[in-house]
Amino acid sequence: MATGKLIAAVFVASTLGLAGCAVTRDQSTVGQFVDDSAITTQVKARFAESPVVSAMAIKVKTLNGTVQLSGFAKNASEREAAESIARSVANVKDVRNDIVVQP
């Protein structure tokens, strides 16, 4: 019985430790981290589905509902399409488009 309690205590401690590590700078809760991760995943998935946007060339990060796009686009149309796709994802508050068009 003592072994079971020890295992349970270790599990609880490790779970709480992981939850604390999940929140990054400027995120107030684990829930916000999960929401931001879901937004990032949805934007990347839509990029992968798009025939216009290169999901491999454009990076996506989300903080408090603001999506930051970075990387390189082949042309202005790809840059604009990436921003439009990001803005269309639910719960996105703003998009910062730092994508550079390759000359």
Side-chain angles (χ1 to χ4, degrees):
M1 204 50 128
T3 303
K5 287 182 181 181
L6 179 61
I7 291 172
V10 169
F11 175 75
V12 168
S14 65
T15 302
L16 290 175
L18 288 175
C21 293
V23 178
T24 61
R25 181 178 41 185
D26 297 327
Q27 288 172 319
S28 56
T29 65
V30 173
Q32 183 64 53
F33 175 82
V34 170
D35 292 346
D36 288 344
S37 296
I39 290 171
T40 297
T41 300
Q42 289 175 10
V43 172
K44 288 180 178 182
R46 290 188 186 179
F47 283 0
E49 295 170 353
S50 171
V52 179
V53 177
S54 172
M56 299 302 289
I58 299 174
K59 295 182 178 102
V60 180
K61 291 187 179 182
T62 307
L63 182 64
N64 296 325
T66 298
V67 175
Q68 181 178 1
L69 305 175
S70 61
F72 298 94
K74 292 175 252 166
N75 51 48
S77 296
E78 181 180 14
R79 183 181 191 275
E80 292 166 13
E83 181 174 342
S84 177
I85 289 169
R87 286 190 187 282
S88 73
V89 171
N91 300 317
V92 170
K93 296 177 184 172
D94 193 19
V95 176
R96 294 187 181 173
N97 191 342
D98 295 326
I99 298 170
V100 175
V101 176
Q102 292 177 331

